[in-house]
Amino acid sequence: MIEEVRQRFRQLNPGVEFCSLRWVEERSETYSVRQDVEQPASMTLDGGVMITVIHRGGYGYAATSDVSATGLSKALERAKAWADASRQHSVFDYSSVALPRPVGRYQSPTPVVPRASRRELLDLLMAESQACKVNDKIVDWHAFIEFKQSHQLYLTHDGAEVEQQFDFVVPGLVVTAFGDGDSQSRSLGGQYNGYCRQGGMEIIHQSGLFGSGRRVAEEALELLAAPNCPSGNMDLLLKPEQMMLQIHESIGHPLELDRILGDERNYAGTSFVTLDMFGHYQYGSALLNVSYDPTLQNEFAAYGWDDDGTAVQKTLLIENGLLKRPLGGTISQARAGTDGVANSRACSWNRPPIDRMANLNVELGDKTLDEMIGGIEYGVMMDTNVSWSIDDSRNKFQFGCEKGWLIKNGQIQHVVKNPNYRGISATFWRSLKAVGDHSTFDVMGTPFCGKGEPSQVIRVGHASPACLFGGVDVFGGEE
Amino acid sequence: MKSYFYDLADFIQSRLHGGEDYTAWLSGERSDFVRFNHGKVRQAGEVQQLYLSLRLIRGQKHVAISLALTGMVEADQNRVGGALAHLRDLLVDVADDPHLLLNTIPQAGDRYESSRLPASEAMVEDVVAAANGYDFVGFLASGPMFSGFANSWGQRNWHETASFSLDWSLYAGGDKAVKAGYAATEWQREQFHHKFDHAAAQLLLLQKPARTIAPGQYRAYLTPDAMGELMGMMNWDGFSEKSLRTKRSSLIKLADDELSLNPMVNLREHTVEGLAPAFQAEGFIKPAHVDLIREGRFAGSLISPRTAKEYGVVTNGADGSEGFESLQMAAGDLPQDRALAELGTGLYISNLWYLNFSDRINCRVTGMTRFATFWVENGEIVAPLNVMRFDDSLFRMLGSNLAALTRERDLLVETQTYDSRQSNSMLLPGALLSEMTLVL
């Protein structure tokens, strides 16, 4: 199909200042076993094109799954019509943007381990499922694997051409225990698919899915029997499965340039960050270094070019705690008059690109987990996000985790359930007291980052070491 | 599109092998999407999309594919033919499904409303003209949407409407704004201007210096929009029969009669008066209504065919997600224009935002105030309020702390467009709370 789309687009004569085509074809397969019963296997086969036109200051797009010559021609006419209709009312003179004309190819890392057969995958999931029922208090459990392949082509009317192919893998397992009026769930990598990467079967092996059923079930029972997380102002040690969410909500979204420019105010919100802060705002303590890095190939949002054709490059957004650069693509950069990164992305063929955070990572420090725990007089370590909420300026947040550990006098005491904490982005990162080394590091992400009008759910990656924060408001569940 | 889909269904039927059955669900839209910022157009375009969910069944084995189609008969027949071959290949590897439940008795269920929409470009002209001089940010979605169902037992259903929704905010600066919406099947310029002018008038209240209050307990009035966010949390698996059985529902203690809500609370999935299709993806027809909460007590759950088979109960036509789509909450007796007076001193909350559970088993929810939220003294709005976080149990907020519900109710039409435009709606009153816990 890709060759036909390429040829048909090349035969169009758009007669406008700028015209691009973005073709996306995705195939996915999901396998799942719940309570030792194979769930209906499902597949998706999605595909279509978006044609974008910039002409005389206006911007218009049209998306269709009809990729015939007639379909592309009709889409072009609709995109031109919208560019024409909007040009008198545009928020920005789109003709003033010099969009890149890239040529190149990107492919996810080649799978290291050959793909198992469908039957083998289902049998493996069944084995993990059957290992979960360790106790009558285990009331629900399921294991799943999703594979998705995405093939994309970006063309401009004047010769640019980028082809990108991605392989995404999302394994997971969730177990729920119930007893004495309480219900606790424990997961492998998060109940919302936090373990997600690019690659093949090796990602499933790395995730620890195989052999995890019994362990996760026992941890669910452990939570059921655990006391509530204590309340108070104390040290908070976050492991990567929670750090990914902390980074996502209170660094990633506030730094998105389209939010700062106000595009998202009617839906996802604005930002406490303003354009004048870049270059001198102390976002975090001097230990905080945050990078935008789509070049880390196994991470979920690795790519070579964004959906406006800009090539990627690892960039430090926060260096030694100092805010340096926003997350904004070429058009946002031109609107704001500032540098950004290549993060103009769309979730698929039927949504236009907007600013997205891609891979956003906290750089390594030099502390082992034991060293950080040893330095805590009184605090809680938390892991695996289960609840997230933050205001529309991405400032006042409250997050909850699946599991916590009470720490006293440098020693872990016991597991606690319903661990939650709250704070304010503008001050929280300045309380960063220690950053973990490579032994504490993990690569996580989410397939479900929601944003935009029309709404889009996109893939992002977050890699991080464990991090220690001081003086955080921590609390547990209902007493 | 209806005849296109029914022809496609006949084509699928003709390609079945002996012993095979199918179900097919078509969903599509032809939408114009226009995004506004600062009273101007940020992004404008059209999306035409058409998806077929095709399930191939042989005995107790079944597999499904979601397939993007073009709307062109020949091309789509080729795609569907290829998909059937793919499904047959997959069918070999899967086990019998003990929870498969199919509707083999054809049931009718059609709704068709022809479009009365003007060209979207004309609506944009009206919006931009009205927004002149305002910091207007918003989103227009307009065009037809359709859903269809077919199966090999001869059932055919169709649902097609054309509508628009304009969801917008007028900003007074920073994070202070008034949010408003206009959704209908016909664009009436006067009605739009009436809604716009009403929102613009509220902007004046946001010009006053904002006030920050300390965490604590406050009286509060929640508009129907704010109530919609709380209802949304209840819909996060709360009424799902599967989630209740697997102890992941936030309403377990309500269903188990351990806790109750205020007797004023009556909730009903009211399909017959909603905007969503009356049939679902497996071809089951939804009843006119399902009582969910009656006088504060649990009255019923939403049961998909799969859950029905698994637990030996009767389905009530819920989708696989087992969430409500056309919720109605019974009105109370507080006139809306008395809300401020009855509130006295406390919070007037226009919108809540970004809710999540802080303790799911106890239905404890956290979230933020947003948009036009005010501090009220002696029934008078005194100042806009800086955003505050609440964390409270719905068993308190809609239980012992629920003081009144308004006599008037607002129809809230879902404006999110993840994957596709939505047809969910809620008809809700506003609520007066004697106490609401703010934490940050």
Side-chain angles (χ1 to χ4, degrees), chain B residues 161-235:
Chain B
T161 58
S163 63
F164 73 87
S165 71
L166 176 67
D167 186 61
W168 81 89
S169 311
L170 295 179
Y171 267 78
D175 62 358
K176 300 293 179 295
V178 175
K179 191 168 180 62
Y182 177 30
T185 54
E186 202 169 350
W187 178 263
Q188 295 181 329
R189 190 175 290 166
E190 282 182 9
Q191 196 163 358
F192 164 63
H193 283 299
H194 175 73
K195 287 176 178 287
F196 190 97
D197 292 345
H198 182 70
Q202 287 187 296
L203 266 184
L204 295 174
L205 296 169
L206 292 172
Q207 307 294 342
K208 298 180 179 182
R211 181 173 294 196
T212 298
I213 59 173
Q217 278 79 38
Y218 295 91
R219 280 176 73 79
Y221 173 73
L222 303 175
T223 66
D225 279 298
M227 284 290 283
E229 293 293 323
L230 297 181
M231 295 299 120
M233 288 311 295
M234 283 192 176
N235 206 25

Side-chain angles (χ1 to χ4, degrees), chain A residues 43 45-46 63 65 89 94 118-119 183 185 263-267 350-351 387 389 398 455 478, chain B residues 35 37 41-42 46 49 51 66 69 90 93 135 169 247-248 354 357 359 370 391 396 417-418:
Chain A
M43 291 184 291
L45 183 51
D46 193 8
S65 52
H89 309 304
Y94 288 91
R118 284 192 291 262
R119 193 59 254 163
S183 173
S185 293
D263 291 353
E264 285 285 325
R265 289 176 296 166
N266 187 55
Y267 179 54
N350 52 8
R351 293 290 184 267
S387 177
S389 172
Q398 180 170 313
S455 314
E478 191 94 347
Chain B
R35 191 171 208 204
N37 189 8
V41 175
R42 165 63 182 95
E46 178 193 89
Q49 63 181 40
Y51 288 99
S66 171
L69 297 180
L90 185 54
D93 282 331
D135 186 2
S169 311
K247 307 301 182 186
R248 287 177 58 84
Y354 218 133
F357 290 110
D359 182 351
R370 196 185 186 193
D391 188 326
R396 283 190 291 271
T417 44
Y418 290 111

Side-chain angles (χ1 to χ4, degrees), chain A residues 43-281:
Chain A
M43 291 184 291
T44 64
L45 183 51
D46 193 8
V49 297
M50 174 170 283
I51 289 182
T52 301
V53 164
I54 293 176
H55 194 58
R56 294 180 183 169
Y59 177 106
Y61 64 82
T64 177
S65 52
D66 178 6
V67 296
S68 67
T70 306
L72 296 189
S73 182
K74 284 181 180 172
L76 172 62
E77 291 310 310
R78 283 300 290 156
K80 286 166 71 173
W82 270 119
D84 188 53
S86 65
R87 69 188 173 88
Q88 298 295 338
H89 309 304
S90 273
V91 74
F92 173 70
D93 176 5
Y94 288 91
S95 295
S96 67
V97 184
L99 285 172
R101 303 294 198 271
V103 175
R105 193 168 194 289
Y106 172 88
Q107 179 145 21
S108 283
T110 306
V112 176
V113 182
R115 163 84 181 268
S117 71
R118 284 192 291 262
R119 193 59 254 163
E120 286 172 318
L121 289 169
L122 285 163
D123 289 344
L124 289 165
L125 292 172
M126 181 63 78
E128 292 314 316
S129 171
Q130 289 172 339
C132 289
K133 184 70 176 173
V134 296
N135 186 302
D136 284 346
K137 290 181 176 175
I138 301 295
V139 293
D140 196 30
W141 60 98
H142 72 282
F144 58 90
I145 298 172
E146 180 182 18
F147 295 97
K148 191 181 283 273
Q149 294 176 305
S150 181
H151 193 180
Q152 303 184 7
L153 179 68
Y154 177 80
L155 305 171
T156 67
H157 72 292
D158 50 4
E161 179 167 335
V162 167
E163 185 179 349
Q164 303 193 85
Q165 285 183 277
F166 306 93
D167 290 280
F168 303 102
V169 184
V170 186
L173 183 141
V174 184
V175 182
T176 300
F178 180 76
D180 300 326
D182 193 14
S183 173
Q184 292 287 323
S185 293
R186 183 65 174 139
S187 68
L188 178 92
Q191 295 170 46
Y192 303 97
N193 305 62
Y195 199 96
C196 48
R197 294 184 183 177
Q198 289 185 27
M201 280 295 291
E202 75 279 5
I203 301 299
I204 296 169
H205 289 284
Q206 289 166 13
S207 75
L209 175 65
F210 302 136
S212 66
R214 184 176 185 86
R215 176 181 63 76
V216 174
E218 286 173 345
E219 288 191 31
L221 291 169
E222 185 183 22
L223 283 173
L224 199 63
N228 241 326
C229 181
S231 295
N233 195 271
M234 62 186 78
D235 278 356
L236 174 66
L237 178 55
L238 297 180
K239 298 184 79 176
E241 285 184 23
Q242 172 58 21
M243 276 299 293
M244 56 83 64
L245 190 280
Q246 184 71 53
I247 297 164
H248 181 90
E249 302 290 5
S250 70
I251 294 180
H253 282 308
L255 296 194
E256 286 169 343
L257 195 47
D258 58 350
R259 294 178 68 106
I260 296 170
L261 289 165
D263 291 353
E264 285 285 325
R265 289 176 296 166
N266 187 55
Y267 179 54
T270 178
S271 175
F272 73 92
V273 174
T274 51
L275 286 174
D276 59 319
M277 290 181 180
F278 291 96
H280 57 84
Y281 179 74

Side-chain angles (χ1 to χ4, degrees), chain A residues 1 27 31 34-35 37-47 50 59-67 78 81-82 85-86 88-92 94 118-119 122 139-140 174 176 178 181-183 185 191-192 249 258 261-270 331-332 335 349-354 386-394 396-398 418 420 422-424 450-457 473 475-479, chain B residues 29 32-38 40-51 55 62-70 72 79 86-87 89-90 93-95 97-99 120-121 124-125 128 135-139 167-169 171 174-175 179 236 242 245-248 252-253 256 258 306 310-311 353-362 364 366-368 370-371 387-391 393 396 415-421 439-440:
Chain A
M1 182 59 72
R27 296 165 179 265
Y31 303 102
R34 174 177 163 261
Q35 294 194 18
V37 175
E38 275 184 33
Q39 300 301 290
S42 64
M43 291 184 291
T44 64
L45 183 51
D46 193 8
M50 174 170 283
Y59 177 106
Y61 64 82
T64 177
S65 52
D66 178 6
V67 296
R78 283 300 290 156
W82 270 119
S86 65
Q88 298 295 338
H89 309 304
S90 273
V91 74
F92 173 70
Y94 288 91
R118 284 192 291 262
R119 193 59 254 163
L122 285 163
V139 293
D140 196 30
V174 184
T176 300
F178 180 76
D182 193 14
S183 173
S185 293
Q191 295 170 46
Y192 303 97
E249 302 290 5
D258 58 350
L261 289 165
D263 291 353
E264 285 285 325
R265 289 176 296 166
N266 187 55
Y267 179 54
T270 178
I331 289 175
S332 291
R335 291 169 65 198
W349 60 271
N350 52 8
R351 293 290 184 267
I354 54 177
V386 75
S387 177
W388 60 99
S389 172
I390 189 164
D391 72 38
D392 66 324
S393 300
R394 296 285 154 165
K396 289 184 174 182
F397 63 78
Q398 180 170 313
N418 304 318
N420 291 269
R422 59 174 75 103
I424 297 174
K451 185 181 169 184
E453 292 176 308
S455 314
Q456 309 192 36
V457 171
D473 185 8
F475 60 98
E478 191 94 347
E479 294 291 350
Chain B
E29 65 188 61
D32 287 326
F33 293 134
V34 185
R35 191 171 208 204
F36 302 92
N37 189 8
H38 298 305
K40 303 282 189 181
V41 175
R42 165 63 182 95
Q43 271 175 328
E46 178 193 89
V47 172
Q48 288 194 47
Q49 63 181 40
L50 194 60
Y51 288 99
R55 181 173 302 278
H62 62 115
V63 288
I65 189 167
S66 171
L67 193 64
L69 297 180
T70 67
M72 314 303 289
R79 288 190 188 199
H86 214 44
L87 290 172
D89 177 48
L90 185 54
D93 282 331
V94 304
D97 180 4
H99 302 150
S120 299
E121 288 90 336
V124 169
E125 292 289 336
V128 171
D135 186 2
F136 174 99
V137 56
F139 180 61
D167 186 61
W168 81 89
S169 311
Y171 267 78
D175 62 358
K179 191 168 180 62
W236 203 344
K242 178 183 162 188
R245 298 270 182 169
T246 56
K247 307 301 182 186
R248 287 177 58 84
I252 294 169
K253 293 189 176 183
D256 289 349
E258 210 176 306
R306 185 167 187 78
E310 179 174 2
Y311 295 104
W353 158 250
Y354 218 133
L355 275 57
N356 207 324
F357 290 110
S358 52
D359 182 351
R360 184 185 289 241
I361 192 79
N362 288 299
R364 207 179 81 192
T366 188
M368 300 302 303
R370 196 185 186 193
F371 295 116
V387 294
M388 289 295 291
R389 171 168 295 286
F390 76 94
D391 188 326
S393 169
R396 283 190 291 271
T415 56
Q416 290 193 351
T417 44
Y418 290 111
D419 295 327
S420 62
R421 288 163 61 205
V439 292
L440 182 66

Side-chain angles (χ1 to χ4, degrees), chain A residues 219-477:
Chain A
E219 288 191 31
L221 291 169
E222 185 183 22
L223 283 173
L224 199 63
N228 241 326
C229 181
S231 295
N233 195 271
M234 62 186 78
D235 278 356
L236 174 66
L237 178 55
L238 297 180
K239 298 184 79 176
E241 285 184 23
Q242 172 58 21
M243 276 299 293
M244 56 83 64
L245 190 280
Q246 184 71 53
I247 297 164
H248 181 90
E249 302 290 5
S250 70
I251 294 180
H253 282 308
L255 296 194
E256 286 169 343
L257 195 47
D258 58 350
R259 294 178 68 106
I260 296 170
L261 289 165
D263 291 353
E264 285 285 325
R265 289 176 296 166
N266 187 55
Y267 179 54
T270 178
S271 175
F272 73 92
V273 174
T274 51
L275 286 174
D276 59 319
M277 290 181 180
F278 291 96
H280 57 84
Y281 179 74
Q282 195 68 37
Y283 205 98
S285 80
L287 297 172
L288 183 65
N289 291 284
V290 179
S291 62
Y292 149 89
D293 190 6
T295 69
L296 279 180
Q297 289 208 326
N298 278 118
E299 206 168 342
F300 209 42
Y303 54 92
W305 291 263
D306 74 5
D307 289 329
D308 281 335
T310 308
V312 305
Q313 186 176 16
K314 179 178 178 177
T315 307
L316 274 183
L317 306 177
I318 298 172
E319 188 170 11
N320 300 327
L322 197 68
L323 180 62
K324 299 191 73 173
R325 191 181 283 217
L327 287 159
T330 302
I331 289 175
S332 291
Q333 291 171 39
R335 291 169 65 198
T338 185
D339 288 335
V341 296
N343 73 325
S344 182
R345 297 198 297 145
C347 65
S348 191
W349 60 271
N350 52 8
R351 293 290 184 267
I354 54 177
D355 292 337
R356 290 302 204 150
M357 64 186 82
N359 290 341
L360 188 66
N361 306 329
V362 168
E363 301 290 295
L364 292 174
D366 60 2
K367 294 283 187 288
T368 65
L369 198 64
D370 284 346
E371 285 172 338
M372 287 190 281
I373 291 169
I376 297 172
E377 190 177 330
Y378 182 66
V380 174
M381 179 167 72
M382 297 188 194
D383 199 20
T384 317
N385 181 260
V386 75
S387 177
W388 60 99
S389 172
I390 189 164
D391 72 38
D392 66 324
S393 300
R394 296 285 154 165
N395 211 2
K396 289 184 174 182
F397 63 78
Q398 180 170 313
F399 301 142
C401 293
E402 283 182 2
K403 188 172 182 180
W405 294 261
L406 182 66
I407 300 168
K408 284 183 183 172
N409 301 320
Q411 300 281 328
I412 289 180
Q413 303 296 303
H414 55 76
V415 168
V416 293
K417 66 183 174 187
N418 304 318
N420 291 269
Y421 64 100
R422 59 174 75 103
I424 297 174
S425 300
T427 54
F428 177 80
W429 290 101
R430 294 181 207 150
S431 73
L432 179 63
K433 292 169 68 175
V435 179
D437 65 12
H438 196 269
S439 67
T440 73
F441 178 83
D442 209 348
V443 177
M444 307 297 294
T446 175
F448 305 124
C449 175
K451 185 181 169 184
E453 292 176 308
S455 314
Q456 309 192 36
V457 171
I458 210 164
R459 307 173 186 103
V460 299
H462 299 299
S464 175
C467 288
L468 176 62
F469 302 86
V472 181
D473 185 8
V474 168
F475 60 98

